[in-house]
């Protein structure tokens, strides 16, 4: 009897199992958009609570195995998630609805999510695909032309170079770069140095120290939002003075594990440089190499409903157009998310690490720059390539000595010698580890704690061999070592409230505290131009000569900032929203009596969609204040100890006696309106900012300060402008879709004041120096009534007819309206900028291109000036056209082109003769892609290949160089090219695989 029961039970179990198997079946269908019926590729179709799932193909089709009773989740970005219970049907077609634009979520300050309708300030999103479609080694470069009011200027230092980012104009004599926030946490973005002079740095060359942004893998970015103005960034206090760029990285999603692989290979060529004669151009073409950049990325993501994982690895291998210049970079990213304790606690942990090695990063200026010898080479019997064998044996010293067709000088050496015997190497690494704990106390209250450890290490080494030009190195050579370590530790605690006070009034708000600790440890050793090495070409610290002319410096700095902040958004009938923020910072870099500063903001937005009967329309207005503290060791600086004993006799700049330094403060007001229709929309705004209490080094009486210079809060810099972005979808049907976006921005900058109120002993000054003129006769100054970025140059005096005055064998200099001996000739900043982005989709074929234009502004080609003074290699000199000149008495005569430009050019030239319009319109990006149709049993989910191009050509350009390239990403050297590496044109192939 017992055995029969067991047998019966086994039979029943077998029949039940067979029945369950019979219920599992293949379900297929098409997922479309409910709005227009178009198929949706890449929709996630997941069996709820499992790892099983698929994605729709390009035609929106899917096929998945499921059982009766299973719940299928259909998820797609920008669409409402839909869940359907499996019953007896085998075909299941699904139409997804667009997310209500009124409830579109935007990630704002501190990682707080808000609905777009409630925002009282301008915030513009950039799709992650826009950053990775045409990849660049620094993903921020891909923002150019895609955000209204955001001006991107690339460095001339090639792969791994830093990028200058200015939002709504320059406002400070200090840092003008925005704050970068990754997953709600401020990113430490240090730079170990930027060029400041046109002539160059005798201590290694005009070197770009790079930045942390080039260490980010663009494929890790899920979304990017630019927060503009003080109201948007007030919650970040002193860190958010220049706006905020919020980056959210990818994380795992529940469902089947997904693997994405991409590989991008482009070939680059030197594209935009001054016009040379045929012989010189032949030598130059033979010098530059064909550059290549290969970026590979791999990621795996997935998980269950309670826990998800995301892992990525990427590498970049680049060989620049400058021989011997190369970059190697490796980046990994791990992110874990989990929900615990019945979904009450959400844990988010991530680690990102990067290593980067750059050989022979290009420099600008004249010192240590191979382009001086390349562009200036002229010989009737030899070619530049004859000097690729750059050294020869010197029996008197038993070493290999530099070989060149003529005597070297401080600015000119054999370019191949510079590349191989003055070589530099940069090694950078970054580690960012963060932990985020979010505890949901109840339906309306949650508590969040976050912490981040952010470390950047920047090392530089330069080996300068014996027989290098004596101005740059002693007889036995020179060795330079620099090591910088930047560490940031950040933590905050936030309480978040989301509730309805009444049926008509809603409240969302936060209250929080944060702490930030930044440390900088620096070590630098330089055998110097006089100290030198004991033994030739032995590059080690113990080989330094033991004298006071060698340099050993070691410094350590620390800053701490403690903050308390709050924010509240009050909604009235979901039609009117009032946004209030307040933050107070305490900083260690200010005296205790003035180290506390308060930053508020207020904004109002009104939804007018019902009034004007459109899907979405609103108006907004806001006012906010932000500011910044001081650098370490600036208010109470210490005298440095000299190597070998004693204290540096040069006293550092200290605050004006009796004054209490105050933090810089920016006040900002903006208004705007945003409208969205079915296939068209726009966002237009106006802003006004005033930045005061800047900390200037001003001249004072030596009876008050012995050095004659003191620090003083003063100045007022105003920026005002209009920003507008438009989008339109002219065509959208089953086979073809065309989307176009246009960004427009204009900014007017004015230096209202420099020194401010009269102070006893203050020596009146007409200007503040941004770029000193040195001996190159180019300068940039802040002058009351002028603008940030004004360019000053040495100008040739002309008569009433406009003819250059030439007297006693020399050109005569203009001597009226001078600042520091120079004349204003223009401004480096554009009057307005346009970015036009178009995307076409025809069945499996896609075409995307970006036209980027900057209109107005001026730029100076000191490259042309120096080369024309050094040689006869420019095309216009060779043409030998005559130039009419006049003497002081009005008598006219002619000079040949070689004579005229030989007198105008050179190291101490009439730079006013080399001013060009900076207006330019270029085809910045182009991508032609194809999504391959895959069979149902394919191993791959998606395969796409694209032909890509970057910086392909200019529709219009007046300057003899690319005006979108900067020698420095700091404030100095804007609007000038001094033998910077020419920008490149790149074309290549991008392949994306998903499985």
């Amino acid at each position: 009897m017992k055995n029969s029961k067991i047998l019966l039970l086994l039979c029943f179990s077998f029949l039940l199992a067979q029945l369950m198997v019979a219920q599992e079946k293949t379900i297929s269908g098409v997922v479309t958009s409910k709005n227009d019926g178009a198929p949706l590729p890449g929709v996630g179709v997941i069996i709820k609570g499992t790892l099983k799932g698929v994605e729709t193909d390009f035609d929106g089709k899917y096929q998945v195995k499921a059982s009766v009773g299973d719940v299928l989740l259909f998820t797609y970005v920008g669409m409402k998630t839909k869940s359907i219970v499996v019953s007896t049907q085998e075909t299941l077609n699904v139409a997804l609805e667009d997310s209500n634009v009124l409830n579109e979520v935007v990630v704002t300050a501190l990682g707080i999510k808000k609905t777009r309708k409630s925002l009282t300030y301008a915030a513009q999103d950039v799709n992650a695909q826009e950053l990775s479609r045409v990849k660049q080694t620094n993903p921020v470069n891909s923002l150019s032309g895609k955000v209204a009011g955001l001006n991107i200027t690339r460095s001339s230092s090639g792969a791994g170079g830093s990028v200058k980012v200015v939002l709504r104009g320059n406002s400070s004599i200090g840092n003008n770069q925005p704050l970068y926030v990754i997953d709600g946490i401020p990113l430490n973005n240090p730079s170990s140095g930027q060029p400041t002079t046109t002539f160059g740095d005798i201590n290694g060359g005009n070197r770009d120290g790079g930045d942390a942004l080039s260490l980010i893998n663009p494929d890790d970015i899920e979304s990017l939002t630019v927060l503009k103005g003080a109201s948007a960034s007030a919650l970040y206090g002193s860190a958010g003075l220049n706006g905020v760029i919020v980056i959210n990285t990818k994380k795992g999603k529940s469902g089947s594990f997904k693997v994405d692989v991409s590989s991008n290979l482009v070939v680059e060529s030197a594209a935009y440089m001054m016009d040379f004669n045929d012989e010189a151009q032949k030598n130059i073409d033979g010098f530059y190499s064909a550059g290549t950049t290969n970026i590979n990325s791999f990621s795996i993501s997935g998980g269950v409903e309670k826990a998800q994982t995301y892992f990525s690895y990427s590498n970049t291998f680049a060989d620049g157009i400058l021989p011997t210049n190369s970059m190697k970079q490796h980046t990994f990213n791990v992110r874990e998310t989990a929900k615990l304790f019945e979904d009450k606690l959400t844990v988010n942990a991530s680690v990102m690490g990067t290593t980067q090695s750059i050989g022979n990063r290009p420099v600008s200026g004249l010192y240590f720059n191979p382009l001086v010898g390349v562009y200036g080479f002229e010989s009737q019997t030899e070619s530049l390539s004859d000097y690729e064998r750059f050294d020869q044996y010197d029996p008197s010293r038993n070493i290999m000595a530099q070989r060149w067709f003529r005597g070297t000088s401080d600015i000119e050496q054999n370019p191949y010698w510079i590349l191989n015997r003055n070589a530099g190497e940069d090694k950078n690494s970054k580690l960012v580890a963060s932990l985020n704990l979010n505890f949901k106390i109840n339906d309306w209250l949650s508590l969040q704690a976050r912490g981040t450890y952010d470390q950047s290490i920047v090392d530089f080494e330069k080996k300068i061999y014996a027989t290098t030009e004596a101005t740059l190195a002693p007889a036995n050579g020179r060795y330079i070592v620099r090591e910088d370590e930047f560490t940031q530790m950040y933590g905050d605690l936030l309480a978040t409230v989301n509730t309805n006070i009444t049926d008509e009034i809603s409240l969302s708000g936060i209250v929080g505290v944060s702490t930030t600790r930044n440390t900088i440890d620096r070590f630098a050793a330089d055998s110097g131009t006089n100290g030198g090495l004991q033994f030739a070409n032995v590059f080690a610290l113990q080989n330094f000569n033991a004298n006071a002319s060698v340099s050993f410096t070691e410094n350590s700095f620390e800053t701490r900032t403690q903050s308390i902040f709050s924010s509240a958004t009050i909604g009235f009938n979901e039609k009117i929203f009032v946004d209030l923020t307040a933050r107070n910072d305490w900083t260690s870099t200010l005296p205790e009596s003035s180290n506390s500063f308060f930053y508020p903001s207020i904004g109002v937005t009104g939804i007018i969609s019902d009034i004007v009967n459109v899907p979405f329309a609103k108006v907004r207005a806001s006012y906010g204040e932000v500011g910044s503290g001081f650098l370490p060791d600036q208010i109470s600086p210490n005298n440095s100890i000299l190597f070998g004993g004693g204290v540096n006799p040069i006293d550092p700049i200290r605050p004006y006696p009796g004054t209490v330094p105050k933090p810089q403060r920016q006040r900002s007001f903006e208004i705007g309106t945003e409208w969205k229709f079915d296939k068209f929309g726009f966002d237009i705004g106006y802003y006004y900012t005033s930045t005061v209490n800047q900390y200037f080094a001003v001249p004072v009486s030596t009876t008050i300060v012995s050095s004659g210079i003191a620090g003083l809060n003063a100045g007022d810099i105003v920026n005002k402008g209009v920003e507008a972005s438009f989008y339109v979808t002219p065509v959208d049907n089953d086979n073809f879709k065309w989307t176009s976006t246009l960004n427009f921005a204009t900014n007017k900058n004015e230096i209202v004041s420099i020194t401010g109120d009269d102070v006893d002993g203050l020596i009146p000054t007409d200007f503040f120096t941004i770029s000193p003129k040195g001996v190159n006769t180019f300068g940039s100054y802040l002058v009351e009534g002028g603008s940030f970025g004004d360019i000053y140059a040495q100008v040739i005096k002309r008569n009433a007819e406009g003819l250059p005055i030439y007297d006693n064998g020399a050109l005569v200099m203009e001597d009226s309206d001078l600042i520091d001996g120079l004349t204003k000739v223009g401004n480096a900043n554009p009057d307005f900028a346009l970015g036009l982005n178009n995307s076409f989709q025809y069945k499996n074929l896609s075409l995307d291109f970006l036209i980027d234009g900057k209109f107005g502004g001026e730029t100076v080609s000191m490259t042309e000036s120096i080369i024309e003074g050094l040689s006869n290699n420019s095309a216009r000199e060779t043409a030998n056209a005559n130039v009419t000149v006049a003497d002081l008495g009005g008598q006219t005569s002619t000079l040949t082109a070689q004579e005229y430009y030989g007198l105008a050019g050179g190291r101490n030239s009439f730079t006013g003769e080399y001013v060009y319009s900076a207006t330019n319109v270029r085809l910045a990006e182009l991508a032609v892609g194809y999504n391959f149709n895959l069979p149902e049993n394919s191993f791959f989910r998606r395969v796409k290949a694209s032909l890509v191009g970057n910086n392909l050509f200019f529709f219009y350009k007046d300057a003899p160089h690319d005006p979108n390239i900067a020698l420095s990403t700091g404030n100095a050297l804007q609007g000038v090219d001094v033998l910077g590496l020419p920008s490149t044109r790149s074309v290549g192939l991008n392949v994306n695989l998903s499985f």
Side-chain angles (χ1 to χ4, degrees):
M1 185 69 179
K2 183 177 180 180
N3 291 336
S4 63
K5 288 182 177 179
I6 294 174
L7 181 62
L8 183 62
L9 181 62
L10 289 173
C11 291
F12 179 76
S13 299
F14 177 75
L15 290 172
L16 182 62
Q18 290 293 97
L19 182 61
M20 292 177 66
V21 170
Q23 284 181 315
E24 186 177 60
K25 54 190 173 183
T26 299
I27 299 174
S28 60
V30 179
V31 182
T32 58
S33 168
K34 189 173 182 179
N35 180 44
D36 54 17
L40 296 175
V43 176
V45 185
I46 301 167
I47 300 176
K48 186 176 180 179
T50 73
L51 296 175
K52 294 175 63 177
V54 297
E55 280 189 352
T56 59
D57 62 16
F58 183 78
D59 297 316
K61 298 178 180 178
Y62 75 95
Q63 191 176 75
V64 64
K65 288 185 177 182
S67 301
V68 173
D70 285 342
V71 177
L72 294 183
L73 298 176
F74 296 83
T75 60
Y76 191 70
V77 176
M79 300 284 187
K80 293 181 180 179
T81 297
K82 194 166 188 176
S83 62
I84 298 178
V85 179
V86 176
S87 58
T88 58
Q89 73 272 43
E90 294 184 355
T91 300
L92 187 59
N93 296 324
V94 178
L96 298 183
E97 296 181 38
D98 291 337
S99 295
N100 189 337
V101 70
L102 289 173
N103 296 316
E104 179 185 343
V105 174
V106 178
V107 180
T108 65
L110 297 173
I112 302 166
K113 294 182 179 179
K114 293 186 176 183
T115 57
R116 179 167 289 278
K117 66 181 180 182
S118 67
L119 293 184
T120 62
Y121 46 78
Q124 190 167 349
D125 300 321
V126 178
N127 191 297
Q129 292 180 349
E130 296 294 331
L131 302 177
S132 58
R133 180 179 290 122
V134 181
K135 290 184 180 178
Q136 300 192 49
T137 54
N138 192 323
V140 177
N141 281 324
S142 298
L143 291 175
S144 183
K146 297 172 183 175
V147 178
L150 190 67
N151 189 28
I152 305 290
T153 311
R154 293 172 293 158
S155 166
S156 63
S157 59
S162 55
V163 57
K164 182 178 178 65
V165 181
V166 176
L167 184 60
R168 294 184 170 180
N170 294 283
S171 61
S172 172
I173 61 171
N175 179 28
N176 281 291
Q177 298 264 27
L179 172 69
Y180 294 88
V181 176
I182 296 185
D183 297 326
I185 302 295
L187 177 73
N188 192 21
N189 183 31
S191 175
S192 61
Q194 287 292 318
T196 58
T197 65
T198 53
F199 207 80
D201 186 358
I202 200 171
N203 299 312
N206 261 1
R207 189 177 70 92
D208 172 13
D211 59 22
L213 304 175
S214 64
L215 306 179
I216 297 174
N217 175 12
D219 286 328
D220 284 341
I221 299 174
E222 185 171 58
S223 66
L224 184 147
T225 303
V226 180
L227 304 180
K228 309 174 185 180
S231 298
S233 59
L235 271 182
Y236 284 109
S238 57
L241 175 68
N242 304 307
V244 182
I245 295 179
V246 179
I247 297 172
N248 292 296
T249 61
K250 294 177 180 177
K251 59 183 178 181
K253 297 179 180 179
S254 61
S256 60
F257 275 89
K258 178 183 176 182
V259 177
D260 290 306
V261 179
S262 72
S263 183
N264 179 276
L265 175 64
V266 298
V267 179
E268 302 169 326
S269 59
Y272 311 109
M273 63 186 84
M274 63 173 279
D275 291 331
F276 294 92
N277 61 41
D278 293 341
E279 188 61 33
Q281 190 64 57
K282 182 179 177 181
N283 283 320
I284 294 166
D285 291 342
F287 176 78
Y288 284 123
S289 303
T292 60
T293 299
N294 182 210
I295 304 175
N296 304 291
S297 179
F298 164 86
S299 69
I300 181 170
S301 63
V304 295
E305 189 174 355
K306 297 292 185 181
Q308 302 86 37
T309 298
Y310 177 85
F311 170 80
S312 72
Y313 164 76
S314 69
N315 57 48
T316 301
F317 301 99
D319 291 314
I321 60 171
L322 188 71
T324 73
N325 170 228
S326 64
M327 183 185 83
K328 297 178 182 178
Q329 180 173 308
H330 301 271
T331 301
F332 74 89
N333 187 15
V334 180
R335 186 171 182 182
E336 292 283 344
T337 53
K339 291 187 176 182
L340 307 172
F341 306 118
E342 298 181 346
D343 295 348
K344 293 289 186 182
L345 177 65
T346 301
V347 180
N348 193 326
S350 65
V351 177
M352 187 272 283
T354 301
T355 63
Q356 182 188 76
S357 176
I358 301 177
N360 261 353
R361 192 196 293 268
V363 302
S364 62
L366 301 178
Y367 291 136
F368 295 104
N369 192 339
L371 299 187
V372 179
V374 174
Y375 292 172
F377 181 87
E378 55 180 342
S379 172
Q380 299 298 319
T381 58
E382 296 177 299
S383 298
L384 178 62
S385 59
D386 295 332
Y387 288 86
E388 284 191 72
R389 185 171 66 81
F390 52 82
D391 57 5
Q392 58 191 4
Y393 182 66
D394 181 356
S396 66
R397 298 192 61 189
N398 193 30
I399 61 173
M400 299 299 290
Q402 182 175 180
R403 174 176 173 265
W404 191 226
F405 79 107
R406 61 186 175 193
T408 62
S409 69
D410 59 342
I411 66 171
E412 184 188 78
Q413 302 182 86
N414 183 326
Y416 296 103
W417 173 270
I418 293 176
L419 294 177
N420 293 278
R421 292 295 179 258
N422 293 172
E425 183 175 14
D426 292 81
K427 290 185 177 181
N428 307 319
S429 62
K430 191 172 185 67
L431 176 68
V432 182
S434 65
L435 177 65
N436 183 327
L437 303 175
N438 190 306
F439 187 75
K440 187 176 181 181
I441 298 175
N442 52 40
D443 292 339
W444 57 271
L445 177 63
S446 62
L447 192 64
Q448 178 176 258
R450 297 182 295 197
T452 295
Y453 176 82
D454 186 338
Q455 181 190 60
S456 301
I457 298 176
V458 181
D459 294 340
F460 173 69
E461 180 184 58
K462 195 174 187 73
K463 298 176 180 179
I464 306 170
Y465 279 70
T467 71
T468 291
E469 167 60 35
T471 306
L472 306 175
N476 285 342
R478 184 178 179 187
Y479 186 41
I480 301 173
V481 177
R482 297 173 189 168
E483 299 174 356
D484 291 348
E485 181 178 330
F486 305 88
T487 302
Q488 177 175 282
M489 298 181 69
Y490 174 88
D492 63 23
L493 181 66
L494 287 76
T496 303
V497 174
N498 281 289
T499 187
N500 289 323
I501 299 175
T502 68
D503 291 340
E504 293 79 22
I505 301 176
S506 63
L507 171 66
S508 63
I510 65 160
V511 176
V513 295
S514 69
T515 179
T516 306
R517 177 178 178 264
N518 287 91
T519 59
I520 304 173
D521 293 303
R522 285 179 166 154
F523 171 76
D526 183 356
S527 61
T529 56
N530 294 315
L533 302 173
Q534 300 178 64
F535 303 100
N537 303 333
V538 177
F539 301 105
L541 299 183
Q542 60 267 34
N543 192 37
F544 280 24
N545 277 319
N547 62 51
S549 295
V550 303
S551 172
F552 282 96
T553 60
E554 190 167 5
N555 295 291
S556 182
F557 304 100
E558 178 181 325
T559 62
R560 292 177 181 265
T561 303
Q562 315 295 336
S563 307
I564 183 170
F565 46 83
S566 64
S567 155
T569 300
I570 306 170
F572 300 92
N573 292 315
E574 294 297 297
K575 300 298 182 185
I576 298 176
F577 296 89
V578 178
D579 196 20
L580 304 168
T581 73
R583 177 170 176 133
N584 202 93
D585 287 349
W586 291 264
T587 177
S588 64
T589 61
L590 282 169
E592 187 173 348
S593 60
S594 62
N595 71 346
S596 172
F597 34 104
F598 176 73
Y599 299 121
S601 78
I602 181 172
V604 178
T605 186
I607 308 301
I608 58 174
S609 306
D610 295 340
I611 300 174
V612 294
N613 194 26
V614 298
F616 177 69
K618 76 172 190 178
V619 293
R620 63 176 186 266
S622 64
Y623 171 84
E625 296 186 12
V626 291
S628 65
F630 287 79
L631 298 174
D633 206 36
Q634 189 174 11
I635 299 302
S636 300
N638 295 305
N639 288 83
S640 58
I641 303 172
L642 296 176
F643 176 69
V647 175
N648 193 331
I650 301 176
D651 196 46
I653 298 173
R654 301 178 186 278
Y656 185 89
T659 61
V660 179
K662 298 174 289 187
Q664 182 177 239
R665 182 174 292 269
Q666 183 183 100
R667 302 180 177 94
S668 177
F669 168 75
E670 66 175 278
I671 57 174
T673 184
E674 186 175 355
W675 296 61
K676 292 187 178 182
F677 304 87
D678 290 337
K679 294 185 177 182
F680 171 73
F682 60 87
D683 186 340
I684 300 176
Y686 167 83
Y687 63 87
Y688 177 95
T689 67
S690 172
T691 308
V692 298
N693 288 342
Q694 310 222 26
Y695 193 67
F696 287 86
V698 297
V700 298
S701 171
T702 54
T703 60
I704 296 176
V705 177
S706 60
S707 64
I709 301 176
L712 186 68
N713 284 115
D716 184 4
I717 298 177
V718 166
N719 284 279
K720 51 189 174 182
V722 174
E723 298 167 345
S725 59
F726 305 85
Y727 76 87
V728 62
T729 307
V731 182
D732 188 359
N733 55 43
D734 292 344
N735 294 321
F736 183 68
K737 184 177 182 178
W738 171 21
T739 302
S740 183
T741 60
L742 176 68
N743 292 297
F744 166 85
T746 180
N747 179 75
K748 173 64 177 176
N749 179 281
E750 182 183 359
I751 312 300
V752 177
S753 66
I754 295 179
T755 56
D757 298 332
D758 292 335
V759 176
D760 290 340
L762 184 67
I763 299 176
T765 180
D766 295 327
F767 61 89
F768 178 83
T769 303
I770 299 294
S771 295
K773 70 174 183 179
V775 297
N776 277 159
T777 63
F778 165 93
S780 182
Y781 307 94
L782 298 185
V783 180
E784 288 190 8
S787 300
F788 211 116
D790 282 345
I791 298 171
Y792 289 79
Q794 185 168 273
V795 174
I796 296 174
K797 194 178 186 68
R798 296 176 182 269
N799 63 14
E801 288 74 35
L803 296 177
I805 296 179
Y806 171 77
D807 199 69
N808 290 325
L811 295 168
V812 177
M813 187 185 80
E814 176 63 55
D815 56 2
S816 60
D817 299 323
L818 301 182
I819 294 293
D820 200 21
L822 303 178
T823 302
K824 181 179 174 180
V825 294
N827 186 279
N829 298 303
D831 296 328
F832 66 93
L834 286 174
L836 176 63
N837 204 352
N838 281 276
S839 179
F840 300 89
Q841 185 80 47
Y842 177 70
K843 294 186 177 180
N844 290 24
L845 186 67
S846 63
L847 169 65
D848 298 89
F849 66 87
L850 170 68
I851 297 175
D852 189 14
K854 293 181 173 64
F855 301 84
E858 285 75 32
T859 183
V860 176
S861 177
M862 289 194 64
T863 298
E864 193 175 42
S865 166
I866 290 166
I867 296 307
E868 288 185 342
L870 186 66
S871 70
N872 295 312
N873 284 346
S874 78
R876 63 183 181 183
E877 285 182 300
T878 305
N880 207 34
N882 290 335
V883 178
T884 302
V885 296
D887 60 21
L888 292 172
Q891 187 70 32
T892 62
S893 60
T894 59
L895 299 174
T896 66
Q898 289 185 1
E899 291 172 332
Y900 180 80
Y901 291 112
L903 292 169
R907 342 175 12 155
N908 186 18
S909 66
F910 287 94
T911 39
E913 290 297 292
Y914 298 89
V915 178
Y916 295 88
S917 168
T919 296
N920 68 95
V921 182
R922 63 180 177 133
L923 181 60
E925 293 181 3
L926 175 68
V928 181
Y930 187 80
N931 270 298
F932 290 88
N933 287 322
L934 303 175
E936 292 183 359
N937 60 350
S938 173
F939 174 74
F940 294 101
R941 295 183 178 183
R942 179 172 176 261
V943 176
K944 182 178 182 180
S946 302
L947 294 173
V948 297
N950 183 61
N951 209 28
L952 290 176
F953 60 84
F954 284 90
F955 296 98
Y956 175 83
K957 178 175 70 73
D958 180 50
H961 55 268
D962 185 345
N964 302 299
I965 298 295
L967 299 186
S968 169
T969 57
N971 291 331
L973 301 184
Q974 301 305 304
V976 61
D977 175 55
V978 192
L979 293 155
L981 189 72
S983 65
T984 60
R985 177 188 296 114
S986 62
V987 293
L989 179 66
N990 190 24
V991 177
N992 295 277
L993 308 173
S994 295
F995 54 90

